Amino acid sequence: MNRQALGNTMTVRAKPGPAVFKPNEEGGESRIEPYVGLEFDSAEAAQEFYTLYGTQAGFKIRIGQLYRSRVDGSVISRRYVCSKEGFQTPLRTGCPAFIRVQKGESGKWVLANVKTEHNHDLDISGEIRPPIIQRKTPPTPRPTSNVSSRTGIRSLEDDGPSGAIDLKRIKRVELEPAPRGEPCKGLDFTSANEAYKFYHTYAANMGFKVRIGQLFRSKNDGSITSRRFVCSKEGHQHPSRVGCGAYMRIQRQETGRWVVDRLSKEHNHELGSPEDTNQKNGKSFKEELSNGLENLDLLETNGGLSLVKRDRGSGIGNGWYNVLLEYFQTRQAEDTGFFYALEVDNGRCMSVFWADGRSRFSCTQFGDAIVFDTSYRRSSYTVPFASFVGVNHHRQPVLLGCALISDESEESFTWVLQAWVRAMSGKRPVSIIADQDKPVQNSIAQVFPGTHHRFSPWQILAKEHENLGALRSMEEFKFEYETCISQSQTASEFDSAWGVLITKYNLKENTWLKEMYKMRKSWVPLYIRGTFFAGIPVDGTMKSYFGTFLTPQVQLNEFLMRYEKAVEHNREEERKEDFNSFNLQTVLHTKDPLEEQCRRLYTIIVFKVFQKELLESYSYVGIKINIEGAISRYLVQRCGNGDERNTVAFNASNLNISCSCRMFEFEGILCRHALKVFQIMNIREIPSRYILHRWTKNAKYGILRDVDSGGGSQDFKALMVWSLREEAHSYIDAGAASIERYKLAFEILQEGRRNLCWQN
């Protein structure tokens, strides 16, 4: 294996300014100091510099936030922070110390911001130590003639005109041959499998575990060109992870060998005891498998090494279960419709699901189109909180259930979806918006076999930037790509435009585009519009249910309080719209009886959507182009704009109507094109099947219409109890406003009770 990297020198370029290092008054030794304007050859060099500075000053560092270019997605700025920054764990104190480096036009990284003050005691030992974790048995050092016996730091004058500081010499007091188990830059391997086994063995000796991290593919043929192996505590997806920055990255060379090109040995947590790693060479793993690799471990089987699935572990802190169960039991005593479930795997608590009576009641009317919101997966959330959200009759988000997901395995997602089905008395949605990862896809296909799964738009956008980064910056490609996706009206139009795009830009071997074409029915608007999604825009812009109430770093002691505040806030907003819809009237703009009919039935928000379509219909003209029996077809287009045209089919015998724009199928409200044909045919009333009950003022009182659709009588009894209690709350508030209202309310209540008794 190649060890030439040991001889390489990593340099920091110091612009004229304050000294990079300061003399130590006690021992006369030099101490480095960061300052604005300091230059580095790479971000990794800046990290090593700050690591060394932290070692001398008496603190540890972590890799902080990074910033990417909006043009090509490349990293343009990085923050390195004190390990005690933030409050995610009890050991952290919110320390403000950090440095931020920014990539300049020359390719150099310049220190742009620095804060040296800490809010905690520093561990100053009085000696300079290499900022790497040493092995238990250090190798025998070899004498060197060119390194100082004290610190290895050269003065600015010693470095000549360039002002270069030899960080390699700073890090090592004496250059020494690294043992075979010690990773270093330049180390090469015959395969990625060999590199993984090497790092796995090293990790076991040092006392930490390894996960397979990010991989990078060639934009030409989709083959894997680079892999990262990271400490198991990398990231913040679960409380067990602390954002550890230790990793080893390997890159494939033209020769087919793999070389370590980036490396960080610094951990921000305590290491465990070394493990026995006397393992033999084993089977290789398939590099093409990019999904689910984080759940794989290298284990010895039949004399060889294989990647196998590890036992599931929960990313939910143990303290959460007791608090949640106590909360659930309290809520269940107050709300007979409250439902909760806990997944247990091999005696361990795993995922948790819950839904109160109102959420279950809402699902009977608004559970047809849902969003499975797992935002925690793309942010540094301390708790893996997911929610099921629908759209109510005011086009507001409505809560249909919540879950804490123990891990990102298919088993966890499947269990959560099955728990939701049980809570909703067997009801399954018509459509669902969720992530496109394989575990999520497979779980939805298994639990909701007839449901149209639409991919989350944020994930598609992220993948586009990752796989089409350079092309997306080209205006011509961007225009043609977006036109192909959003403007295609038929499957043949889309296929044709897609084929032209692939050929013109030589993308036939692009693996990601091949996969996305196979899954086009889950993300291309043309295929989505034919399914009911309650009008949730194709770009996914829907108001977040929990908004700013639940932040990524919310702690256990605040979670339930913030959760309940968010729920109450949203339900209060719904009550306001209920009141407005029953007590206010929107102004009519025409004398069309269809407008009056819909104002009487629809909520205010939905009526305004319909009213806009009705007013727009007067700007269109319809031409009959075909008659087949009772079915007439019309070409409807905007006056003076022949490019905007749609075909409407109308059956005069039963008043069925359909439009090629598919607005009714997608949103449940008739479009301007269909309304134009109704005007031509002099239809004075919209057939009831085109007034969806879910959009009406009385949508919340339609539960009895669905009693026979599934579920036991006990389930519906709990929902009816909740419904009556909710209505009683409003009744009591109105009746207690004054003595006169109280007397009237009491008389009405007694009369109602007598009527119920007579029915028995």
Side-chain angles (χ1 to χ4, degrees), residues 73 79 98 115 183 264 273 279 339 451 469 475 491 493 525 534 553 566 580-581 641 664 671 682 709 753:
R79 280 170 58 99
F98 77 98
K115 190 173 183 66
S264 175
S273 58
Q279 298 171 320
F339 176 98
T451 299
E475 288 299 324
E493 277 185 31
Q553 309 305 330
N580 291 340
S581 291
N641 184 1
F664 180 77
C671 63
N682 198 30
S709 65
R753 185 162 57 86

Side-chain angles (χ1 to χ4, degrees), residues 432-621:
I432 183 171
I433 300 176
D435 293 348
Q436 71 179 87
D437 303 78
K438 284 296 181 185
V440 178
Q441 284 194 58
N442 295 340
S443 298
I444 290 174
Q446 178 183 339
V447 183
F448 303 150
T451 299
H452 190 153
H453 176 194
R454 171 176 148 193
F455 296 156
S456 300
W458 71 266
Q459 212 173 33
I460 295 175
L461 187 62
K463 293 292 183 182
E464 282 179 358
H465 284 295
E466 179 182 332
N467 294 277
L468 304 173
L471 285 172
R472 289 282 294 180
S473 61
M474 296 171 53
E475 288 299 324
E476 184 180 3
F477 172 82
K478 184 178 179 181
F479 174 77
E480 294 178 13
Y481 178 74
E482 292 179 353
T483 299
C484 168
I485 292 171
S486 60
Q487 301 299 323
S488 298
Q489 297 297 315
T490 64
S492 59
E493 277 185 31
F494 174 77
D495 290 341
S496 176
W498 184 270
V500 169
L501 200 68
I502 296 297
T503 303
K504 180 177 179 179
Y505 294 96
N506 193 26
L507 297 170
K508 292 182 180 179
E509 302 304 318
N510 188 298
T511 306
W512 180 74
L513 286 176
K514 286 181 180 178
E515 285 298 311
M516 293 306 288
Y517 179 77
K518 291 178 183 176
M519 299 184 292
R520 58 192 180 280
K521 292 183 179 179
S522 293
W523 65 282
V524 176
L526 165 68
Y527 299 98
I528 292 172
R529 290 195 195 103
T531 303
F532 183 74
F533 278 97
I536 300 173
V538 174
D539 64 3
T541 52
M542 177 182 173
K543 181 183 176 184
S544 171
Y545 187 87
F546 288 96
T548 58
F549 288 96
L550 291 182
T551 58
Q553 309 305 330
V554 64
Q555 298 299 308
L556 172 59
N557 58 346
E558 296 182 21
F559 174 78
L560 291 174
M561 177 186 68
R562 292 193 179 193
Y563 160 80
E564 291 202 321
K565 280 186 177 180
V567 171
E568 181 54 36
H569 169 77
N570 283 279
R571 289 176 178 173
E572 178 59 29
E573 291 298 309
E574 182 176 337
R575 283 191 286 268
K576 289 178 182 177
E577 289 299 329
D578 282 340
F579 178 86
N580 291 340
S581 291
F582 279 108
N583 294 279
L584 303 177
Q585 279 197 333
T586 308
V587 176
L588 297 177
H589 292 296
T590 72
K591 294 183 179 181
D592 194 323
L594 302 184
E595 187 180 18
E596 172 58 38
Q597 176 193 6
C598 290
R599 183 177 71 168
R600 188 175 67 253
L601 298 174
Y602 283 144
T603 60
I604 289 178
I605 300 297
V606 176
F607 172 68
K608 287 181 178 179
V609 176
F610 170 83
Q611 190 178 51
K612 179 182 178 182
E613 293 300 311
L614 180 64
L615 294 176
E616 286 288 343
S617 70
Y618 291 102
S619 300
Y620 284 73
V621 61

Side-chain angles (χ1 to χ4, degrees), residues 168-183:
K168 189 68 70 175
R169 295 176 64 188
I170 293 175
K171 282 188 67 176
R172 294 177 177 271
V173 177
E174 295 179 337
L175 287 176
E176 55 193 36
R180 181 167 178 81
E182 185 84 14

Side-chain angles (χ1 to χ4, degrees), residues 47-48 50-52 54-55 59-63 83 129-134 171 199 202 208 231 243-247 263-269 271:
Q47 180 187 347
E48 292 190 21
Y50 197 52
T51 300
L52 176 66
T55 302
F59 68 95
K60 295 180 180 180
I61 78 158
R62 285 190 296 109
I63 299 176
S83 63
R129 301 184 304 273
I132 61 174
I133 300 170
Q134 299 292 342
K171 282 188 67 176
Y199 196 58
Y202 164 74
F208 68 96
C231 173
C244 182
Y247 75 96
L263 176 70
S264 175
K265 300 179 185 178
E266 278 299 294
H267 297 262
N268 65 354
H269 56 91
L271 300 182

Side-chain angles (χ1 to χ4, degrees), residues 242-311:
V242 295
C244 182
Y247 75 96
M248 182 179 82
R249 195 182 84 163
I250 56 174
Q251 191 153 10
R252 193 183 67 195
Q253 307 298 300
E254 292 182 359
T255 60
R257 297 181 70 84
W258 294 76
V259 176
V260 177
D261 69 328
R262 294 187 183 180
L263 176 70
S264 175
K265 300 179 185 178
E266 278 299 294
H267 297 262
N268 65 354
H269 56 91
E270 296 294 329
L271 300 182
S273 58
E275 301 174 3
D276 179 20
T277 56
N278 185 21
Q279 298 171 320
K280 304 175 183 179
N281 291 336
K283 303 174 184 178
S284 63
F285 64 89
K286 295 182 179 179
E287 295 174 350
E288 290 75 14
L289 294 177
S290 61
N291 292 309
L293 288 177
E294 290 194 357
N295 290 322
L296 300 179
D297 268 335
L298 195 68
L299 299 179
E300 186 169 7
T301 55
N302 299 325
L305 293 170
S306 300
L307 279 170
V308 299
K309 189 169 183 180
R310 72 165 69 105
D311 289 338

